[in-house]
Amino acid sequence: MRDPSPHTNQNRPTQPTRSPRSSRSPHSSRPAQSTPPFNAPAARRLRTALNMGPEHVAFGLRASYGLPYATPDLVIAWERGQVNPTHSELTALAGVLWCSPAELLGRPRTLREHRIARGLATEDVARAVGLELLAYLPMEEHNAWRGNDRQSTALAELLGLSLPDFVTVTGREPRLADALRGAVTTRWQAYVRPVAKLVPLDRRLLVDTLQELHQDYQGQMVASLSWGDGNAASDASEAGRDFLDRIVDHFWAALQDNTP
Protein backbone atom coordinates (compact mmCIF):
# COMPACT_ATOMS: atom_id res chain seq x y z
CA MET A 1 0.00 0.00 0.00
CA ARG A 2 1.37 3.40 -0.98
CA ASP A 3 2.15 5.83 1.84
CA PRO A 4 -0.09 8.88 1.67
CA SER A 5 1.63 12.26 1.28
CA PRO A 6 2.26 14.03 4.57
CA HIS A 7 1.02 17.24 2.93
CA THR A 8 -2.58 16.03 2.70
CA ASN A 9 -4.79 17.67 5.29
CA GLN A 10 -7.77 15.35 4.78
CA ASN A 11 -7.61 11.73 5.89
CA ARG A 12 -4.23 12.32 7.46
CA PRO A 13 -2.35 9.02 7.81
CA THR A 14 -1.02 7.74 11.06
CA GLN A 15 2.14 9.62 11.81
CA PRO A 16 5.29 7.86 10.67
CA THR A 17 6.94 6.03 13.51
CA ARG A 18 9.80 7.95 15.01
CA SER A 19 13.11 6.26 15.28
CA PRO A 20 14.03 5.47 18.88
CA ARG A 21 16.34 8.01 20.46
CA SER A 22 19.89 7.01 20.98
CA SER A 23 23.04 8.54 22.35
CA ARG A 24 24.31 9.23 18.83
CA SER A 25 24.08 12.71 17.38
CA PRO A 26 20.95 13.08 15.20
CA HIS A 27 23.19 14.06 12.29
CA SER A 28 26.13 11.71 12.90
CA SER A 29 25.47 9.68 9.73
CA ARG A 30 25.11 12.68 7.44
CA PRO A 31 27.68 13.17 4.68
CA ALA A 32 30.21 15.91 5.47
CA GLN A 33 29.53 18.89 3.20
CA SER A 34 29.66 22.67 3.37
CA THR A 35 26.51 24.32 4.65
CA PRO A 36 24.78 27.51 3.46
CA PRO A 37 23.39 30.14 5.85
CA PHE A 38 20.10 28.76 7.12
CA ASN A 39 17.00 30.57 8.36
CA ALA A 40 15.94 28.17 11.12
CA PRO A 41 12.87 30.17 12.30
CA ALA A 42 11.56 30.25 8.72
CA ALA A 43 11.83 26.46 8.47
CA ARG A 44 9.80 25.97 11.64
CA ARG A 45 7.25 28.58 10.59
CA LEU A 46 6.72 26.97 7.19
CA ARG A 47 6.39 23.51 8.70
CA THR A 48 3.81 24.55 11.28
CA ALA A 49 1.86 26.48 8.61
CA LEU A 50 1.49 23.18 6.74
CA ASN A 51 0.30 21.48 9.94
CA MET A 52 3.21 19.05 9.72
CA GLY A 53 5.26 17.55 12.50
CA PRO A 54 9.03 16.97 12.36
CA GLU A 55 8.27 13.30 11.72
CA HIS A 56 6.33 14.17 8.55
CA VAL A 57 9.21 16.31 7.27
CA ALA A 58 11.69 13.51 7.98
CA PHE A 59 9.42 11.02 6.23
CA GLY A 60 9.25 13.25 3.15
CA LEU A 61 13.02 13.66 3.08
CA ARG A 62 13.51 9.91 3.20
CA ALA A 63 10.73 8.86 0.85
CA SER A 64 10.89 11.59 -1.79
CA TYR A 65 14.46 12.83 -1.69
CA GLY A 66 16.54 9.78 -0.83
CA LEU A 67 17.91 10.95 2.51
CA PRO A 68 17.79 7.71 4.54
CA TYR A 69 19.40 9.30 7.59
CA ALA A 70 16.70 11.99 7.94
CA THR A 71 15.01 11.68 11.34
CA PRO A 72 12.66 13.92 13.32
CA ASP A 73 15.59 14.69 15.62
CA LEU A 74 17.61 15.99 12.66
CA VAL A 75 14.71 18.22 11.56
CA ILE A 76 14.41 19.59 15.10
CA ALA A 77 18.18 20.22 15.22
CA TRP A 78 17.88 22.26 12.01
CA GLU A 79 14.98 24.28 13.41
CA ARG A 80 16.83 25.01 16.64
CA GLY A 81 19.93 26.18 14.80
CA GLN A 82 22.04 23.40 16.28
CA VAL A 83 23.20 22.32 12.82
CA ASN A 84 22.65 23.67 9.31
CA PRO A 85 21.41 21.55 6.39
CA THR A 86 23.82 21.07 3.51
CA HIS A 87 23.04 22.54 0.09
CA SER A 88 21.40 19.31 -1.09
CA GLU A 89 19.48 18.90 2.18
CA LEU A 90 18.23 22.47 2.00
CA THR A 91 16.91 21.91 -1.52
CA ALA A 92 15.16 18.73 -0.37
CA LEU A 93 13.73 20.47 2.70
CA ALA A 94 12.33 23.22 0.48
CA GLY A 95 10.62 20.56 -1.61
CA VAL A 96 9.03 18.94 1.43
CA LEU A 97 7.89 22.32 2.77
CA TRP A 98 6.57 23.46 -0.62
CA CYS A 99 8.70 26.59 -0.73
CA SER A 100 11.68 27.92 -2.64
CA PRO A 101 15.18 27.40 -1.25
CA ALA A 102 15.48 31.18 -0.94
CA GLU A 103 12.81 31.15 1.79
CA LEU A 104 15.02 28.90 3.92
CA LEU A 105 18.28 30.74 3.38
CA GLY A 106 19.84 33.33 5.57
CA ARG A 107 21.50 36.18 3.73
CA PRO A 108 23.44 34.52 0.89
CA ARG A 109 27.08 35.56 0.50
CA THR A 110 28.77 33.09 -1.85
CA LEU A 111 28.14 32.49 -5.53
CA ARG A 112 26.64 29.09 -4.77
CA GLU A 113 24.30 30.47 -2.12
CA HIS A 114 22.99 33.16 -4.45
CA ARG A 115 22.42 30.56 -7.17
CA ILE A 116 20.51 28.29 -4.80
CA ALA A 117 18.48 31.23 -3.51
CA ARG A 118 17.34 31.84 -7.09
CA GLY A 119 16.50 28.16 -7.61
CA LEU A 120 18.91 27.84 -10.53
CA ALA A 121 21.03 24.89 -11.59
CA THR A 122 24.72 25.31 -12.30
CA GLU A 123 23.99 24.63 -15.98
CA ASP A 124 21.51 27.53 -16.04
CA VAL A 125 24.05 30.00 -14.68
CA ALA A 126 26.88 28.83 -16.93
CA ARG A 127 24.69 29.06 -20.04
CA ALA A 128 23.27 32.48 -19.11
CA VAL A 129 26.68 34.08 -18.56
CA GLY A 130 28.30 32.42 -21.55
CA LEU A 131 30.64 29.99 -19.83
CA GLU A 132 31.30 26.30 -20.32
CA LEU A 133 29.98 24.33 -17.35
CA LEU A 134 33.43 22.90 -16.61
CA ALA A 135 34.80 26.44 -16.48
CA TYR A 136 32.02 27.70 -14.20
CA LEU A 137 32.04 24.87 -11.63
CA PRO A 138 35.50 25.64 -10.13
CA MET A 139 34.53 29.32 -9.81
CA GLU A 140 31.52 28.37 -7.72
CA GLU A 141 33.38 25.72 -5.75
CA HIS A 142 36.11 28.15 -4.69
CA ASN A 143 33.93 31.31 -4.76
CA ALA A 144 36.45 32.85 -7.16
CA TRP A 145 34.71 34.51 -10.09
CA ARG A 146 36.89 34.88 -13.20
CA GLY A 147 34.39 36.15 -15.75
CA ASN A 148 34.97 39.20 -17.94
CA ASP A 149 32.98 42.43 -17.67
CA ARG A 150 30.18 41.23 -19.95
CA GLN A 151 29.87 37.94 -18.08
CA SER A 152 29.98 39.75 -14.73
CA THR A 153 27.12 42.01 -15.78
CA ALA A 154 25.11 38.99 -16.92
CA LEU A 155 25.79 37.24 -13.61
CA ALA A 156 24.64 40.25 -11.58
CA GLU A 157 21.42 40.51 -13.59
CA LEU A 158 20.70 36.78 -13.43
CA LEU A 159 21.21 36.51 -9.67
CA GLY A 160 19.78 39.93 -8.83
CA LEU A 161 22.97 40.98 -7.09
CA SER A 162 23.24 44.30 -5.32
CA LEU A 163 26.59 46.08 -5.64
CA PRO A 164 27.81 44.84 -2.20
CA ASP A 165 26.72 41.30 -3.09
CA PHE A 166 28.43 41.54 -6.48
CA VAL A 167 31.71 42.60 -4.84
CA THR A 168 31.49 39.72 -2.36
CA VAL A 169 30.47 37.06 -4.87
CA THR A 170 33.19 37.99 -7.34
CA GLY A 171 35.84 37.70 -4.64
CA ARG A 172 36.73 41.41 -4.68
CA GLU A 173 35.89 42.15 -1.05
CA PRO A 174 39.34 41.35 0.45
CA ARG A 175 41.05 43.62 -2.10
CA LEU A 176 38.46 46.32 -1.51
CA ALA A 177 39.06 46.13 2.24
CA ASP A 178 42.82 46.50 1.75
CA ALA A 179 42.35 49.52 -0.53
CA LEU A 180 39.91 51.17 1.87
CA ARG A 181 42.26 50.70 4.84
CA GLY A 182 44.97 52.38 2.82
CA ALA A 183 42.61 55.23 1.93
CA VAL A 184 41.68 56.02 5.52
CA THR A 185 45.14 55.58 7.05
CA THR A 186 47.17 57.45 4.40
CA ARG A 187 46.25 59.74 1.47
CA TRP A 188 42.77 58.84 0.33
CA GLN A 189 43.31 60.51 -3.07
CA ALA A 190 45.80 57.81 -4.03
CA TYR A 191 43.13 55.12 -3.68
CA VAL A 192 40.38 56.56 -5.85
CA ARG A 193 41.53 54.68 -8.94
CA PRO A 194 42.24 51.32 -7.19
CA VAL A 195 38.81 51.36 -5.54
CA ALA A 196 37.13 52.39 -8.81
CA LYS A 197 38.61 49.29 -10.50
CA LEU A 198 36.92 47.10 -7.90
CA VAL A 199 33.61 48.96 -7.55
CA PRO A 200 32.00 50.55 -10.63
CA LEU A 201 30.81 53.89 -9.23
CA ASP A 202 30.42 57.49 -10.30
CA ARG A 203 33.77 59.15 -9.63
CA ARG A 204 32.31 62.11 -7.71
CA LEU A 205 30.34 59.77 -5.46
CA LEU A 206 33.41 57.65 -4.83
CA VAL A 207 35.57 60.70 -4.04
CA ASP A 208 33.03 62.03 -1.54
CA THR A 209 32.72 58.63 0.13
CA LEU A 210 36.46 58.03 0.49
CA GLN A 211 36.99 61.54 1.82
CA GLU A 212 34.26 61.03 4.42
CA LEU A 213 35.71 57.68 5.55
CA HIS A 214 39.17 59.23 5.82
CA GLN A 215 37.87 62.09 7.96
CA ASP A 216 35.91 59.75 10.23
CA TYR A 217 38.90 57.50 10.87
CA GLN A 218 41.42 60.29 11.28
CA GLY A 219 39.08 62.03 13.71
CA GLN A 220 39.09 58.95 15.92
CA MET A 221 42.89 58.71 15.77
CA VAL A 222 43.36 62.38 16.68
CA ALA A 223 41.07 61.87 19.66
CA SER A 224 43.08 58.88 20.86
CA LEU A 225 46.30 60.93 20.78
CA SER A 226 44.96 64.12 22.33
CA TRP A 227 42.91 62.79 25.24
CA GLY A 228 44.85 62.89 28.48
CA ASP A 229 42.72 60.21 30.12
CA GLY A 230 44.44 56.89 29.47
CA ASN A 231 41.20 54.93 29.50
CA ALA A 232 39.54 57.32 27.06
CA ALA A 233 42.53 57.15 24.71
CA SER A 234 42.49 53.37 24.88
CA ASP A 235 38.78 53.32 24.04
CA ALA A 236 39.35 55.59 21.06
CA SER A 237 42.21 53.42 19.83
CA GLU A 238 40.02 50.33 20.13
CA ALA A 239 37.30 52.11 18.18
CA GLY A 240 39.85 52.84 15.46
CA ARG A 241 40.81 49.18 15.18
CA ASP A 242 37.15 48.20 15.02
CA PHE A 243 36.62 50.80 12.28
CA LEU A 244 39.36 49.18 10.19
CA ASP A 245 38.03 45.68 10.83
CA ARG A 246 34.59 46.75 9.55
CA ILE A 247 35.86 49.10 6.87
CA VAL A 248 33.82 47.54 4.06
CA ASP A 249 30.58 47.90 6.04
CA HIS A 250 31.45 51.53 6.76
CA PHE A 251 32.12 52.06 3.06
CA TRP A 252 28.71 50.77 1.97
CA ALA A 253 26.96 52.81 4.67
CA ALA A 254 28.81 56.01 3.69
CA LEU A 255 28.12 55.30 0.03
CA GLN A 256 24.42 55.04 0.73
CA ASP A 257 24.46 58.28 2.72
CA ASN A 258 26.18 60.11 -0.13
CA THR A 259 23.95 58.73 -2.88
CA PRO A 260 21.49 61.41 -4.03
Side-chain angles (χ1 to χ4, degrees):
M1 178 178 178
R2 185 173 63 86
D3 291 307
S5 168
H7 297 299
T8 306
N9 290 326
Q10 296 180 343
N11 301 321
R12 181 178 295 280
T14 302
Q15 293 183 347
T17 302
R18 295 185 61 166
S19 302
R21 294 180 180 271
S22 69
S23 59
R24 297 180 62 192
S25 167
H27 50 91
S28 59
S29 59
R30 296 165 66 220
Q33 298 180 32
S34 62
T35 60
F38 181 60
N39 191 336
R44 178 177 175 82
R45 183 176 67 253
L46 288 164
R47 174 179 63 76
T48 55
L50 292 170
N51 197 26
M52 298 170 65
E55 63 275 11
H56 291 111
V57 176
F59 175 78
L61 293 171
R62 293 193 305 271
S64 300
Y65 293 92
L67 302 181
Y69 54 84
T71 64
D73 285 341
L74 177 58
V75 174
I76 292 171
W78 287 343
E79 293 182 355
R80 290 178 176 173
Q82 296 171 342
V83 62
N84 284 0
T86 64
H87 292 281
S88 58
E89 289 168 347
L90 186 140
T91 300
L93 181 61
V96 173
L97 296 179
W98 293 3
C99 67
S100 70
E103 294 178 78
L104 296 175
L105 278 174
R107 183 177 180 272
R109 290 187 58 83
T110 67
L111 180 54
R112 175 177 293 170
E113 290 164 8
H114 279 282
R115 174 181 62 77
I116 291 175
R118 288 280 170 170
L120 297 170
T122 51
E123 295 86 350
D124 298 330
V125 178
R127 182 170 55 253
V129 302
L131 284 170
E132 294 292 333
L133 180 60
L134 291 179
Y136 170 77
L137 288 176
M139 297 183 193
E140 181 174 293
E141 180 67 25
H142 301 291
N143 198 39
W145 176 249
R146 295 290 183 269
N148 57 34
D149 289 343
R150 179 185 61 79
Q151 292 167 332
S152 297
T153 299
L155 180 75
E157 292 177 353
L158 179 67
L159 300 182
L161 300 176
S162 64
L163 185 56
D165 288 336
F166 175 76
V167 169
T168 300
V169 163
T170 54
R172 301 180 183 187
E173 188 169 295
R175 287 180 290 158
L176 176 61
D178 287 342
L180 292 174
R181 291 188 188 103
V184 300
T185 56
T186 59
R187 292 182 65 253
W188 64 266
Q189 295 90 339
Y191 289 87
V192 173
R193 181 172 294 180
V195 173
K197 289 182 177 180
L198 298 171
V199 185
L201 289 171
D202 174 77
R203 180 179 175 82
R204 184 69 260 169
L205 177 60
L206 179 57
V207 165
D208 290 344
T209 300
L210 291 181
Q211 186 174 15
E212 179 181 319
L213 285 178
H214 182 272
Q215 292 172 346
D216 288 347
Y217 177 76
Q218 291 299 323
Q220 293 189 35
M221 292 300 96
V222 169
S224 69
L225 293 174
S226 61
W227 288 348
D229 186 331
N231 290 332
S234 177
D235 290 344
S237 180
E238 181 64 29
R241 286 192 292 269
D242 180 69
F243 189 96
L244 293 179
D245 288 341
R246 301 179 57 242
I247 189 65
V248 175
D249 292 335
H250 289 298
F251 174 72
W252 296 128
L255 188 63
Q256 186 174 12
D257 291 341
N258 288 318
T259 301

